[in-house]
Amino acid sequence: MSTAVLYNDQGGAEAGVEAGQENTPTSSNSGAAFGLFSADFKKNEDLKEMLESNKESLKLEAMKRVVGLIAKGKNASELFPAVVKNVASKNIELKKLVYVYLVRYAEEQQDLALLSISTFQRALKDPNQFIRASALRVLSSIRVPIIVPIMMLAIKESAADLSPYVRKTSAHAIQKLYSLDPDQKEQLIEVIEKLLKDKSTLVAGSVVMAFEEVCPDRIDLIHKNYRKLCNLLVDVEEWGQVVIISMLTRYARTQFTSPWKDGAMFDENNEKAFYDSDSEEKKDETEAKPYIMDPDHRLLLRNTKPLLQSRNTAVVMSVAQLYWHLAPKHEVSIVTKSLVRLLRSHREVQYIVLQNIATMSIQRKGMFEPYMKSFYVRSTDATHIKTLKLEILTNLANEANISTILREFQTYVKSQDKAFAAATIQAIGRCATNISEVTDTCLNGLVLLLSNRDETVVAESVVVIKKLLQTQPTQHSEIIKHMAKLFDNITVPMARASILWLMGEYCERVPKIAPDVLRKMAKTFTAEEDIVKLQTVNLAAKLYLTNSKQTKLLTQYILNLGKYDQSYDIRDRTRFIRQLIVPNEKSGALNKYARRILLAPKPAPVLQSAFKDRDRYQLGTLSHSLNTKASGYQELSDWPEVAPDQSVRNVEVIEPIKEWAPIVGKAKKTKSDEKFYSDDEEEKEEEGSESSGSDDSSSSSSSSEGLMLFSGSESEEESSEESEKTSSDSGQSSSGSEKSSSESDSEQKKKKKTKKAPQKKSKPTAADSDSDENGNGPVAQASSSSAESSSGSESDSEDDSNSDSVTPQKKKSDAKSKPKVEVKSKKEVSLLDLDDFSPAPTNAPKSSVISSSLLSDLEGLSLSNVSSTMQLTTPSFCPVKTYELLHHMTGKGLSAKYHFPRQPCLYQPSMVSVQVILTNGSDHCLEEIHIGDRSPGSLSIHCFNTIERLEQEASVTVSMGIDFSDSTQAANFQLCTKENQFSVSIQPAVGELLMPSSLNEQDFCKEQGKLLGMNETSATITMATANSSSQAINKHVLSVANVGVVSSSHNNFHRFAGRTVSSSALVLVSLELKESSTALLTINTDKSVMASMLLRDLKQALAQA
């Protein structure tokens, strides 16, 4: 298709299929040239032709362009008929793009979408999880009441799906269906109840969101799932965390008693000591029942605390509000530092965070006092941020820090931002009323501001002085005189009105000045603002009552002016005042009380924070931000006086039957509750290892086809999510790394027996069935096993190490990618590339069921034109070379070795996977083994989880990810225990920085042609005689570099292809055999430094016998 084709966002008349592919470029080009000047009647015509053609490639290209249009915000709705025809396409890539389009436009084009509803229903049974989820998403986007039963059925089926991704989508669909038909509430609650029991972290956030939308008052559904949600919380995706924390905050306020009771004592770790000390204190105190925190209450606080380190500001804010509303008062301060950290974020985030801090700082000044400097105003801050910081500084002011704060305020008053300067003067007034020691200082400072050139500052000063003078008027008649002198220069109506009010209120203290001010006002009365006129009338009335000799005529004159004023407010006030102060027959008894009415002593105004009453709303909510109740706001209930029965949260746990339970150290079990991750799944692996272990080794993560035990429906992401689901549920938080090595230790004996029958699949045990919520034990097992093999398991790393070996071991997969390599077989080769080796092992299982893996699905979605023939594969050959990281003498008993398992890194695609074996050779337990500082500072390392305890003589294998940035520079870091720190470094061989790539010979030559000249490095080498065979060459090359073998049609040519892990640069290795044991070794890549280093290593490997 020519690049000159114009495709626009409006569609015209449909073109027939018979237009043919050959005519497409021509017609579209001419249409493009014509369309520049003419009406757009041909818009999208070329896309329609492509969508209706018979070629899959054209349809795919068209859909990519259509999705591109949608991404740019263009309207592609007119293509709906042409797109919807392709919904039944066999091409997975095309089908996914069609569903992306349909989700966007199904609501607008409901009638056309309804025509394809049978296709969507069929797609709900598709083997591919993404197709099933997309079909459900489209179905729930068609907002037509007639299909409600179909939607309900689809949601119920998807809620029981094997894929967590599909179950997550069904939770989203629940909310859509509820908004379409609220009558379905009861049936939807049943689905929510089922999904709440789900063990997957992927589903948790979505189902709680559905719960909050559909039935937020049904807290009985949460009881049994409360502890599971608390334990899963740290692994749920960020927005799910926000929803769950909000829901658990409301739940906790209904289920636990208040931790804020006076005299409450807390000692979770030593309850006996707590009771002893309490009993002693009771002698002196009145009988107050000691507060004992519910363990579930403590569980919630403990599991949310780590989330204060989250990168997502909403999560941090959620945890902060949870602690504010639920934690004992002495524990709330732990959120302070995290909230202050958020102030470095965008101004929108700052605004919300500062609002919440302003509310908090009114009640708990001590929380934020140490961080007072964080609230100093910067010149770059927006006005609304400045005023909030000012609010907080005023809240934090006390006798100790007031001098610092007032010095800061003096600077702010000079600000060019007038609104901010005025707010500062208000803040000074508040400080003066709150702290009596500085009242006089503030007043004198404000009086000095009256001579400021800026009338906004002067006006605000007058208003604040007026409020301050009301608190102690007797001492400040001089200030009133000073303000009277400035009266002529002040033009701001509010300020003039304030001075007039002061003159009238304290007219007896300035008997000479007040009448003169009234005289001046009589002259300008008609030109004044309404607020000034009203105060002038008030002043005239007060002076008439106190000094009628001098002001009687003036008062009558002003009342006459007011009688005919344009404003009815002033006319009414004038009429009222005249009747009140001027005696006549009609006024009656009211006249006697005029003085008491007008000159009554008035209470001084209380200057208080605008955030004083906001704590009635839950922190972090929209209602709190707006200071008014928003729709959908759910109020926090008061703490119950007596805690409801806590046994409702107890769940019967069915323990899996352990045939052989591995033990790393005696204390493993007791410590398991203190970590975040658990490896429930590995228990499943033990029981089902016979059925999955051998097959796993033939499953490839990165190839486009992967072996699955069930109709290809589960792809890599689903499987890893499944493993996440099972691993997080148990509520334990044991480190997967520890457990995996312990399992591999104890499994060595078992493995010998099982490898002989790799194709035999044993029946799932009872433990398998128990392990899955929906009774899908065997399937879950298969799913997780495929995930393990495809995400960096040991299956590809147990090759070629020791010549004298025992019977070949059965390979065990580990979902967390932490194998421990003990004994290997030199003759053993991977089962993935049998074509490359002539003497292939006889016990290699064949993959019987094939499905598309996640990687190929995602590659299909990319809009670039990368050749589909070039894709990453799993390593064909993986000799494990172990390097020493830390000697046991240097490490004071702790020794560490590492190797490169040559598997895609789970944590980040650009990282190289490294496995470290830690052994405790000391005479005592080692605690808190973790990674400390690293260098260089820019080095990206995914550390293993802290190992809480490692017993004597115990070993544990952990997995790390390191981004070497395609460089052999060593990664230096500290390996720390509780007492010591050891500097260690991992130096990668250049061959370990590669991942194998799958190419055919034709594509290899094509890519090699693009990498000539400076991108080519070659040398003639002399090879050892023993290395001339094809198998020996492959073995030696693969021992040096993690590359894939490219099949060759010539015996004297050997080709290998790979990509660099960090930047995905192509690396091509070719070896051409010449006469007399010489060969030409050529490396083509744009990474010239890597090429020369790789050439040196390969030359050395091939030369040795």
Side-chain angles (χ1 to χ4, degrees):
M1 180 58 65
S2 168
T3 52
V5 175
L6 275 187
Y7 48 94
N8 301 299
D9 59 333
Q10 304 293 328
E14 281 190 51
V17 181
E18 57 275 1
Q21 285 76 46
E22 293 74 28
N23 299 330
T24 305
T26 316
S27 60
S28 56
N29 276 331
S30 58
F34 184 68
L36 291 172
F37 307 102
S38 68
D40 291 338
F41 66 91
K42 280 265 183 188
K43 279 185 179 181
N44 293 334
E45 204 61 40
D46 55 336
L47 286 177
K48 285 184 182 176
E49 287 181 15
M50 290 167 75
L51 287 167
E52 291 170 355
S53 71
N54 296 324
K55 288 187 180 175
E56 290 286 329
S57 57
L58 281 177
K59 290 181 179 180
L60 195 57
E61 179 63 28
M63 278 314 302
K64 286 180 182 178
R65 282 165 54 180
V66 171
V67 172
L69 286 177
I70 296 171
K72 290 176 186 172
K74 303 284 182 70
N75 178 17
S77 59
E78 295 209 1
L79 291 167
F80 196 93
V83 172
V84 84
K85 289 175 187 172
N86 294 301
V87 76
S89 168
K90 297 266 173 55
N91 187 319
I92 297 289
E93 241 180 288
L94 179 60
K95 190 180 274 194
K96 282 183 190 170
L97 291 172
V98 169
Y99 276 120
V100 168
Y101 178 92
L102 292 176
V103 169
R104 169 70 182 78
Y105 288 111
E107 203 165 333
E108 294 176 23
Q109 306 266 357
Q110 293 175 352
D111 294 342
L112 284 168
L114 280 171
L115 296 175
S116 305
I117 204 155
S118 58
T119 312
F120 304 144
Q121 286 177 279
R122 276 200 306 278
L124 289 169
K125 308 285 185 190
D126 196 275
N128 189 307
Q129 59 170 349
F130 295 109
I131 298 298
R132 297 200 300 278
S134 298
L136 181 59
R137 205 176 286 125
V138 175
L139 203 58
S140 58
S141 299
I142 305 172
R143 318 281 292 162
V144 180
I146 197 169
I147 65 159
V148 164
I150 297 172
M151 278 172 69
M152 177 58 78
L153 195 64
I155 288 171
K156 284 181 176 176
E157 285 180 5
S158 300
D161 198 276
L162 292 170
S163 162
Y165 182 69
V166 179
R167 299 200 297 275
K168 177 189 176 80
T169 309
S170 74
H172 292 163
I174 287 172
Q175 300 164 59
K176 293 183 183 178
L177 179 54
Y178 180 68
S179 64
L180 178 64
D181 185 5
D183 295 339
Q184 302 294 322
K185 182 173 179 176
E186 289 308 314
Q187 288 188 64
L188 290 174
I189 289 175
E190 289 173 19
V191 182
I192 289 172
E193 187 173 6
K194 182 179 180 183
L195 286 173
L196 278 169
K197 294 173 186 171
D198 203 299
K199 299 172 185 174
S200 170
T201 51
L202 194 67
V203 181
S206 301
V207 68
V208 171
M209 188 69 229
F211 170 83
E212 290 281 71
E213 286 285 324
V214 179
C215 52
D217 51 334
R218 286 288 304 275
I219 58 167
D220 56 293
L221 300 180
I222 303 299
H223 291 322
K224 296 288 184 193
N225 302 294
Y226 171 82
R227 290 170 190 160
K228 184 190 72 180
L229 287 171
C230 288
N231 288 316
L232 288 185
L233 194 55
V234 77
D235 291 324
V236 176
E237 42 88 26
E238 291 165 343
W239 296 110
Q241 287 172 344
V242 174
V243 175
I244 294 172
I245 291 170
S246 174
M247 184 273 291
L248 291 179
T249 306
R250 287 193 304 106
Y251 178 86
R253 283 294 283 260
T254 63
Q255 299 301 307
F256 309 127
T257 53
S258 172
W260 305 335
K261 292 173 182 174
D262 295 336
M265 293 193 61
F266 300 86
D267 194 346
E268 265 77 39
N269 300 325
N270 189 348
E271 288 189 12
K272 294 217 170 160
F274 158 64
Y275 287 121
D276 293 344
S277 61
D278 186 62
S279 60
E280 288 166 18
E281 284 169 18
K282 272 190 182 178
K283 295 171 186 175
D284 305 323
E285 295 177 8
T286 57
E287 47 177 336
K289 286 187 180 178
Y291 170 77
I292 302 168
M293 182 175 278
D294 189 302
D296 287 328
H297 192 168
R298 173 56 63 200
L299 175 73
L300 177 58
L301 294 175
R302 190 171 60 240
N303 285 12
T304 50
K305 185 178 175 181
L307 297 180
L308 288 170
Q309 311 301 323
S310 174
R311 62 183 180 177
N312 188 312
T313 50
V315 174
V316 178
M317 195 63 245
S318 293
V319 178
Q321 66 85 23
L322 179 134
Y323 265 78
W324 178 258
H325 292 297
L326 300 182
K329 291 187 178 177
H330 66 276
E331 291 183 29
V332 177
S333 54
I334 67 165
V335 307
T336 310
K337 194 177 282 189
S338 300
L339 287 175
V340 171
R341 170 173 66 87
L342 299 186
L343 297 181
R344 301 193 188 106
S345 192
H346 307 293
R347 64 170 63 172
E348 295 81 8
V349 172
Q350 285 183 49
Y351 179 66
I352 298 298
V353 173
L354 286 168
Q355 279 192 325
N356 288 284
I357 291 176
T359 302
M360 290 171 155
S361 60
I362 292 172
Q363 291 183 28
R364 313 247 176 100
K365 289 186 181 183
M367 275 177 67
F368 296 97
E369 252 184 90
Y371 302 94
M372 194 169 73
K373 288 187 179 177
S374 300
F375 304 108
Y376 284 176
V377 171
R378 295 188 175 87
S379 56
T380 52
D381 286 337
T383 306
H384 61 284
I385 301 295
K386 289 177 180 175
T387 48
L388 279 169
K389 285 186 173 179
L390 201 59
E391 179 73 38
I392 293 165
L393 286 173
T394 312
N395 290 344
L396 297 180
N398 56 30
E399 291 83 353
N401 60 25
I402 186 64
S403 54
T404 314
I405 288 177
L406 285 177
R407 271 202 305 276
E408 191 73 15
F409 284 176
Q410 280 176 340
T411 316
Y412 300 165
V413 168
K414 298 169 189 167
S415 168
Q416 296 300 310
D417 186 341
K418 301 309 170 202
F420 173 55
T424 306
I425 293 167
Q426 290 277 7
I428 293 171
R430 268 181 59 201
C431 290
T433 53
N434 295 341
I435 303 163
S436 54
E437 289 85 347
V438 294
T439 305
D440 292 343
T441 315
C442 292
L443 255 177
N444 294 335
L446 291 170
V447 170
L448 288 174
L449 288 177
L450 293 176
S451 53
N452 196 300
R453 290 180 185 176
D454 187 351
E455 57 185 40
T456 316
V457 173
V458 175
E460 203 64 43
S461 302
V462 169
V463 175
V464 174
I465 288 171
K466 177 206 130 186
K467 291 175 180 175
L468 290 179
L469 287 181
Q470 282 184 259
T471 58
Q472 39 191 359
T474 50
Q475 305 164 21
H476 300 293
S477 55
E478 286 302 315
I479 293 176
I480 297 172
K481 289 175 185 174
H482 182 67
M483 291 169 76
K485 290 174 187 172
L486 294 170
F487 185 76
D488 292 343
N489 300 325
I490 295 172
T491 55
V492 177
M494 190 66 199
R496 287 173 72 83
S498 294
I499 294 176
L500 290 172
W501 186 89
L502 278 173
M503 292 293 159
E505 192 65 20
Y506 307 113
C507 55
E508 292 172 345
R509 300 187 192 288
V510 282
K512 294 180 180 177
I513 296 173
D516 196 50
V517 171
L518 184 63
R519 179 183 61 77
K520 289 178 181 177
M521 284 308 302
K523 289 181 181 179
T524 59
F525 185 85
T526 51
E528 297 290 347
E529 290 288 331
D530 286 2
I531 190 171
V532 182
K533 288 178 182 177
L534 290 171
Q535 290 305 329
T536 307
V537 172
N538 281 352
L539 174 61
K542 289 173 183 176
L543 285 175
Y544 182 85
L545 294 173
T546 57
N547 187 1
S548 59
K549 284 183 184 177
Q550 281 185 288
T551 57
K552 186 175 181 181
L553 291 171
L554 266 175
T555 302
Q556 286 181 349
Y557 175 69
I558 286 169
L559 290 175
N560 285 331
L561 287 174
K563 185 179 180 180
Y564 299 107
D565 195 87
Q566 288 183 340
S567 167
Y568 52 80
D569 268 351
I570 293 157
R571 295 200 299 272
D572 288 351
R573 176 68 63 87
T574 308
R575 192 178 299 117
F576 163 66
I577 293 290
R578 191 190 293 276
Q579 293 297 322
L580 187 61
I581 62 171
V582 182
N584 56 31
E585 300 107 13
K586 292 180 181 177
S587 62
L590 195 60
N591 182 250
K592 296 174 190 175
Y593 303 107
R595 179 180 283 269
R596 284 171 66 182
I597 291 170
L598 289 172
L599 295 172
K602 299 170 181 65
V606 181
L607 295 173
Q608 62 182 23
S609 168
F611 287 81
K612 181 81 173 164
D613 300 323
R614 287 210 190 186
D615 57 354
R616 66 183 185 275
Y617 297 115
Q618 186 177 345
L619 289 188
T621 58
L622 178 63
S623 299
H624 176 269
S625 186
L626 299 175
N627 199 20
T628 184
K629 191 171 180 178
S631 62
Y633 173 72
Q634 293 165 3
E635 290 187 2
L636 278 181
S637 59
D638 294 328
W639 296 100
E641 286 298 317
V642 180
D645 181 17
Q646 65 177 25
S647 65
V648 293
R649 290 185 289 280
N650 293 342
V651 182
E652 289 182 21
V653 180
I654 303 169
E655 286 293 333
I657 302 164
K658 294 188 179 181
E659 295 173 13
W660 22 272
I663 298 170
V664 169
K666 293 174 186 175
K668 272 299 163 281
K669 206 146 194 172
T670 57
K671 277 283 173 187
S672 64
D673 287 345
E674 293 175 17
K675 298 176 202 165
F676 289 136
Y677 304 101
S678 71
D679 270 334
D680 235 2
E681 174 174 296
E682 287 161 5
E683 292 163 13
K684 252 197 315 188
E685 287 302 307
E686 290 163 19
E687 280 100 39
S689 59
E690 278 196 280
S691 65
S692 63
S694 302
D695 291 350
D696 285 350
S697 58
S698 65
S699 165
S700 157
S701 79
S702 314
S703 62
S704 59
E705 313 259 333
L707 172 65
M708 301 290 167
L709 297 181
F710 46 94
S711 71
S713 65
E714 308 295 322
S715 69
E716 211 177 79
E717 177 173 319
E718 172 189 350
S719 309
S720 60
E721 292 299 342
E722 194 78 41
S723 73
E724 194 178 327
K725 172 183 107 168
T726 51
S727 72
S728 310
D729 172 68
S730 62
Q732 305 172 347
S733 305
S734 70
S735 162
S737 58
E738 296 178 42
K739 201 157 179 185
S740 69
S741 88
S742 65
E743 286 174 4
S744 59
D745 274 344
S746 62
E747 278 181 14
Q748 300 300 324
K749 295 172 186 175
K750 291 270 177 184
K751 288 182 178 179
K752 294 178 188 177
K753 301 172 186 175
T754 51
K755 185 143 190 179
K756 292 175 184 175
Q759 300 212 5
K760 180 184 174 184
K761 297 174 187 172
S762 67
K763 293 179 183 177
T765 63
D768 286 327
S769 310
D770 291 339
S771 66
D772 189 346
E773 173 65 32
N774 302 320
N776 298 324
V779 188
Q781 168 206 326
S783 157
S784 54
S785 66
S786 66
E788 289 142 15
S789 63
S790 57
S791 58
S793 68
E794 188 180 271
S795 60
D796 295 314
S797 67
E798 296 192 4
D799 298 318
D800 202 58
S801 179
N802 300 326
S803 54
D804 299 325
S805 79
V806 291
T807 315
Q809 301 163 357
K810 186 178 93 54
K811 299 174 185 175
K812 175 187 176 293
S813 296
D814 186 311
K816 298 291 178 189
S817 172
K818 295 164 189 155
K820 179 172 180 185
V821 183
E822 295 263 333
V823 189
K824 317 277 176 281
S825 164
K826 190 153 195 172
K827 293 176 183 175
E828 185 179 342
V829 291
S830 167
L831 308 178
L832 291 164
D833 285 290
L834 300 177
D835 298 339
D836 301 328
F837 297 86
S838 43
T842 53
N843 61 349
K846 294 288 179 182
S847 57
S848 53
V849 188
I850 300 298
S851 79
S852 299
S853 74
L854 170 64
L855 188 61
S856 65
D857 290 342
L858 292 180
E859 278 177 356
L861 274 176
S862 97
L863 299 181
S864 60
N865 294 322
V866 178
S867 166
S868 61
T869 56
M870 193 187 308
Q871 40 194 299
L872 294 177
T873 65
T874 36
S876 330
F877 173 81
C878 205
V880 176
K881 294 179 186 172
T882 304
Y883 309 89
E884 186 165 74
L885 184 64
L886 179 66
H887 191 269
H888 69 92
M889 296 295 287
T890 318
K892 299 181 181 178
L894 175 66
S895 65
K897 295 181 179 181
Y898 70 91
H899 65 267
F900 298 94
R902 295 192 175 181
Q903 291 294 329
C905 184
L906 283 174
Y907 315 114
Q908 208 170 305
S910 62
M911 286 184 172
V912 176
S913 187
V914 182
Q915 290 184 347
V916 181
I917 303 161
L918 301 166
T919 307
N920 180 5
S922 67
D923 56 358
H924 61 278
C925 296
L926 294 176
E927 295 185 345
E928 295 181 20
I929 303 172
H930 63 280
I931 287 178
D933 297 336
R934 63 202 73 170
S935 79
S938 58
L939 183 69
S940 176
I941 295 184
H942 187 286
C943 311
F944 56 83
N945 296 321
T946 301
I947 298 167
E948 295 294 341
R949 188 179 177 90
L950 189 61
E951 294 291 334
Q952 301 172 42
E953 302 304 322
S955 257
V956 65
T957 305
V958 292
S959 186
M960 298 172 60
I962 304 177
D963 189 349
F964 290 105
S965 302
D966 296 341
S967 158
T968 54
Q969 181 183 359
N972 302 305
F973 56 90
Q974 287 188 329
L975 189 60
C976 308
T977 62
K978 193 173 185 179
E979 297 86 14
N980 302 299
Q981 296 182 340
F982 311 104
S983 294
V984 295
S985 67
I986 291 180
Q987 175 101 37
V990 67
E992 304 298 344
L993 303 177
L994 305 176
M995 281 296 285
S997 189
S998 171
L999 288 177
N1000 57 35
E1001 188 175 11
Q1002 182 184 353
D1003 287 321
F1004 184 95
C1005 298
K1006 181 180 172 185
E1007 294 296 333
Q1008 194 176 32
K1010 298 176 186 175
L1011 294 167
L1012 299 175
M1014 291 178 69
N1015 296 327
E1016 183 172 273
T1017 310
S1018 62
T1020 302
I1021 62 171
T1022 305
M1023 295 175 60
T1025 316
N1027 295 342
S1028 56
S1029 71
S1030 173
Q1031 186 181 354
I1033 289 170
N1034 287 351
K1035 176 181 173 181
H1036 282 291
V1037 171
L1038 295 174
S1039 70
V1040 171
N1042 185 18
V1043 289
V1045 180
V1046 178
S1047 56
S1048 175
S1049 54
H1050 304 286
N1051 290 334
N1052 61 332
F1053 268 101
H1054 297 274
R1055 298 185 174 90
F1056 307 87
R1059 285 187 176 278
T1060 60
V1061 173
S1062 187
S1063 61
S1064 294
L1066 198 60
V1067 178
L1068 304 175
V1069 179
S1070 54
L1071 186 72
E1072 185 182 358
L1073 300 178
K1074 307 280 188 183
E1075 297 115 1
S1076 64
S1077 296
T1078 59
L1080 178 65
L1081 178 61
T1082 309
I1083 298 176
N1084 298 80
T1085 179
D1086 53 10
K1087 300 278 181 183
S1088 52
V1089 177
M1090 287 184 78
S1092 57
M1093 294 171 78
L1094 188 58
L1095 187 74
R1096 181 194 65 204
D1097 291 355
L1098 288 170
K1099 191 174 179 180
Q1100 188 179 346
L1102 291 166
Q1104 67 187 21

